[in-house]
Amino acid sequence: MMCFQCEQTKHGKACSPAEGSVQGVCGKTPETAALQDLLVHYSMGIAQYAHLARVHGGLSDVSVDRFLLDSLFSTLTNVNFDADRFVVFLAEAEEARDRAKSLYEKAVAGKQIESAHLSGPAEMDLSALQGQAGKLETIGHMVGVNHRKELAPNPDAWSLGELLLYGLKGTAAYADHARILGKESEAVYAFIHEAMAALANLPSQSTEGLLKLALRCGETNLEVMELLDAGSTGRYGHPRPTEVRTTPVKGKCIAVSGHDLRDLEEILKRTAGRGINVYTHGELLPAFGYPKIREAYPHLVGNYGGAWQAQKVEFARFPGPVVVTTNCLIEPQKAYKDRIYTRGVVGWRGVKHIKDWDSQFPAVIEQALAMPGFTEDKPKNVTTTGYGRDAVLSMAGDIVNAINTGDIKQLYLIGGCDGAEANRTYFRDIATGLPRDAVILTLGCGKYRMNKLPFEPTLGGIPRLLDMGQCNDAYSAIKVATALAEVYKCDVNDLPLQYAISWFEQKAVAVFLTMLFLGLKNIKLGPQLPAFLTPNVLQILADTYGVKQVNLADHDADLKEMIARTPR
């Protein structure tokens, strides 16, 4: 296998035989990696037909559009490790390709177009191999990262192609979240197909063209995050600052991890009145900020544990079933493998998957009732979440006044994806080292590095730490920044706002591309920079946007630099 799409990749280079890997650091086997590579390659072929069907005939098929979201989302880091599920995905891909091809042929019929035959991934035919995992795996080993490297006109084009692909994966994941909440966009689907079709024709792409596509991916992801925000707030109301219990209470219990608010809502509906307490885990902590969730379901009693990387210990100690709705999943341990369930595109071989709520979720309830649950109330500890854009903008007058009086000197966005490496304490150390006249905005599971620490309010009375939500809620941070820029009639880069961003997987890549599209500068990114970026591409990002790796060897140097930057 050869994979370097996430930050935890081995030796900061790649999970590959060359780096001594027999499987991915994430736990992905070579078999699953190959099937994922084949699914991505085949999806490029589907996109070739779907893109040109739109271009030449304005034709589309929503089932093809949605399949490509699921296809890309399933290959994100720590989402689906089940090779058997990918064999099924590939059979569905064959059907989606046939539908897209029919659309294309209908679109070009009778028109002066050279040929209705497309080359590259579009010409691949897997129909004779459906269900034959071994043969599909063999083909998958031939069409992954190294194959794209051979096709690219130069190393930098290959690097930008990988940046674009991983950004598209993240955008597709966010678009899938938005779709589940009833929000879709033809323009989003059209761009995903256009960009995937461009990657299918990598030999003909230039570095300049791929960079433009990567920035357009950031633009498209901004639209997707706006849709996701509209879906979440439209269904559940605007988040409001809310104290959340972080210690258990006595009673039977179920934990819900991941990001999916609809899945959480479904579980809350089905457990109401059953004597079962529900806990959020990981990125679902911000669900407490939504009034139509918090107020409707009093048996949503608290948040259990922290970020995704601690689940092996936390799930083993949790005395009830656990439902994982989206990323991030890591290898289930024997201590809890018989009581962990997956949803959506998530999967692990041998782990029970909930596809149908009515027929399969009752087993989760029965298991929760049969298990001991928590036997006593633990001393109450809390954290606060719910500082979404509406809540923060309602404080805008106070924030502006505090900036004008000097009670707030700077704003810092510190957050993003968390990970297991010890050096990720950098982000906590930066946060705790800031003076009292600094306000910290945080989101994503990176918040767990700091959200239980005592931060005194600013001298102006503004909370020092504002938890804006999931990584899905990056739109809130963008809206707050742009609103402040409008107040001061300045560019966002002229605000007293700085960024220390922890990245981990492909959703973070999509958000990073959105930040670049918006022209945000001087982003400190880490702990490591993406292994798929060549030195030349990194130099472009440094020269154009001031992107810089965090200084893990001396966080005090970064802290001094950030504090010393002249505020507006």
Side-chain angles (χ1 to χ4, degrees):
M1 66 181 294
M2 164 63 181
C3 183
F4 57 7
Q5 68 176 2
C6 78
E7 193 270 343
Q8 70 181 344
T9 195
K10 196 161 189 180
H11 301 147
K13 296 179 180 179
C15 292
S16 69
E19 296 301 321
S21 297
V22 295
Q23 66 177 34
V25 172
C26 64
K28 182 168 59 176
T29 65
E31 176 190 16
T32 300
L35 293 173
Q36 288 187 359
D37 285 341
L38 181 55
L39 181 60
V40 169
H41 183 76
Y42 207 68
S43 295
M44 291 179 188
I46 297 171
Q48 286 177 280
Y49 285 118
H51 171 56
L52 290 178
R54 277 187 172 86
V55 170
H56 294 301
L59 303 179
S60 62
D61 182 332
V62 72
S63 69
V64 173
D65 299 339
R66 291 173 177 174
F67 174 79
L68 280 182
L69 296 187
D70 286 346
S71 168
L72 292 173
F73 194 176
S74 70
T75 68
L76 258 71
T77 301
N78 289 10
V79 171
N80 197 319
F81 300 80
D82 188 349
D84 297 334
R85 289 272 298 280
F86 282 101
V87 172
V88 175
F89 273 127
L90 285 163
E92 294 171 346
E94 187 78 13
E95 296 173 1
R97 196 279 303 271
D98 289 345
R99 291 194 296 273
K101 184 177 181 181
S102 294
L103 283 177
Y104 171 65
E105 290 172 344
K106 181 178 179 181
V108 300
K111 296 181 180 178
Q112 298 299 313
I113 296 173
E114 288 186 8
S115 173
H117 175 76
L118 295 178
S119 61
E123 65 183 352
M124 179 177 279
D125 185 353
L126 300 178
S127 57
L129 301 178
Q130 292 308 326
Q132 301 182 52
K135 293 183 178 179
L136 292 169
E137 179 188 351
T138 298
I139 298 173
H141 284 300
M142 300 165 57
V143 295
V145 175
N146 288 329
H147 172 69
R148 294 192 291 272
K149 186 174 185 179
E150 292 171 358
L151 291 178
N154 59 66
D156 296 331
W158 168 64
S159 174
L160 287 166
E162 297 301 299
L163 175 64
L164 173 59
L165 175 59
Y166 305 142
L168 287 169
K169 287 187 178 190
T171 300
Y174 286 134
D176 193 59
H177 290 313
R179 178 190 65 79
I180 289 169
L181 291 166
K183 299 295 182 180
E184 297 177 87
S185 165
E186 169 64 20
V188 169
Y189 288 132
F191 174 75
I192 290 175
H193 296 166
E194 177 190 353
M196 287 288 283
L199 291 174
N201 293 294
L202 194 55
S204 65
Q205 304 301 319
S206 66
T207 53
E208 294 80 6
L210 287 166
L211 180 57
K212 288 179 180 177
L213 278 173
L215 293 175
R216 285 182 59 201
C217 182
E219 179 182 19
T220 300
N221 188 61
L222 178 61
E223 179 180 350
V224 169
M225 288 194 296
E226 184 175 9
L227 290 171
L228 181 52
D229 177 87
S232 300
T233 57
R235 188 176 182 89
Y236 304 115
H238 282 278
R240 286 290 178 263
T242 304
E243 282 194 348
V244 181
R245 185 180 180 120
T246 58
T247 47
V249 297
K250 183 178 179 179
K252 308 292 185 178
C253 52
I254 292 174
V256 189
S257 190
H259 302 73
D260 200 298
L261 295 175
R262 281 294 302 273
D263 279 351
L264 175 62
E265 179 188 19
E266 196 67 41
I267 290 169
L268 289 168
K269 283 181 180 178
R270 292 169 182 275
T271 52
R274 300 299 301 271
I276 298 172
N277 293 324
V278 176
Y279 295 81
T280 59
H281 175 268
E283 286 267 49
L284 273 173
L285 163 63
F288 281 89
Y290 291 95
K292 292 183 181 179
I293 294 178
R294 181 183 66 255
E295 295 168 7
Y297 303 104
H299 63 299
L300 180 64
V301 297
N303 186 73
Y304 175 80
W308 65 272
Q309 73 274 6
Q311 65 187 251
K312 287 185 178 182
V313 173
E314 293 173 351
F315 290 175
R317 294 174 177 170
F318 187 76
V322 178
V323 181
V324 181
T325 66
T326 58
N327 54 316
C328 297
L329 174 68
I330 54 181
E331 181 178 7
Q333 302 299 289
K334 184 179 180 181
Y336 60 87
K337 191 172 182 180
D338 66 338
R339 55 184 174 83
I340 188 170
Y341 300 80
T342 58
R343 272 284 298 159
V345 297
V346 187
W348 191 286
R349 184 176 276 170
V351 167
K352 294 179 284 290
H353 185 73
I354 301 170
K355 189 172 183 180
D356 179 74
W357 287 111
D358 292 332
S359 64
Q360 294 171 302
F361 191 70
V364 184
I365 293 178
E366 291 172 10
Q367 191 172 41
L369 293 172
M371 292 187 68
F374 290 104
T375 57
E376 62 179 357
D377 291 349
K378 296 295 184 182
K380 186 177 181 180
N381 293 325
V382 299
T383 188
T384 301
T385 190
Y387 287 101
R389 62 180 175 85
D390 193 64
V392 175
L393 291 177
S394 71
M395 302 161 54
D398 293 335
I399 293 173
V400 169
N401 288 337
I403 292 173
N404 290 340
T405 60
D407 289 337
I408 295 177
K409 289 289 193 342
Q410 289 197 341
L411 304 172
Y412 295 81
L413 179 59
I414 305 175
C417 303
D418 201 13
E421 304 97 320
N423 57 22
R424 284 180 179 266
T425 57
Y426 167 94
F427 298 96
R428 180 200 65 201
D429 294 339
I430 288 291
T432 56
L434 292 171
R436 194 174 168 187
D437 58 16
V439 169
I440 303 163
L441 309 176
T442 190
L443 47 75
C445 58
K447 70 167 68 69
Y448 284 106
R449 295 284 173 179
M450 63 198 84
N451 70 337
K452 296 174 185 176
L453 300 176
F455 287 96
E456 292 293 324
T458 67
L459 297 175
I462 306 296
R464 290 272 324 284
L465 183 71
L466 304 178
D467 176 7
M468 306 191 77
Q470 301 179 342
C471 66
N472 294 16
D473 299 313
Y475 182 73
S476 281
I478 291 169
K479 292 298 288 183
V480 168
T482 54
L484 288 174
E486 288 174 6
V487 169
Y488 284 107
K489 298 186 182 344
C490 68
D491 186 90
V492 172
N493 291 306
D494 294 326
L495 289 171
L497 174 61
Q498 299 189 59
Y499 315 93
I501 306 298
S502 59
W503 85 281
F504 180 77
E505 42 81 274
Q506 297 76 60
K507 284 182 174 179
V509 175
V511 174
F512 177 61
L513 291 177
T514 296
M515 295 176 78
L516 298 185
F517 163 72
L518 291 170
L520 303 184
K521 295 185 177 180
N522 301 314
I523 301 167
K524 293 188 184 298
L525 186 68
Q528 300 179 102
L529 295 178
F532 50 81
L533 297 180
T534 60
N536 285 340
V537 172
L538 284 172
Q539 195 62 52
I540 290 172
L541 297 180
D543 292 345
T544 309
Y545 302 100
V547 175
K548 184 179 180 181
Q549 183 178 5
V550 299
N551 188 348
L552 296 173
D554 186 1
H555 84 273
D556 282 336
D558 273 359
L559 189 60
K560 290 175 182 176
E561 176 192 332
M562 295 170 83
I563 293 173
R565 285 191 65 197
T566 305
R568 185 185 181 280

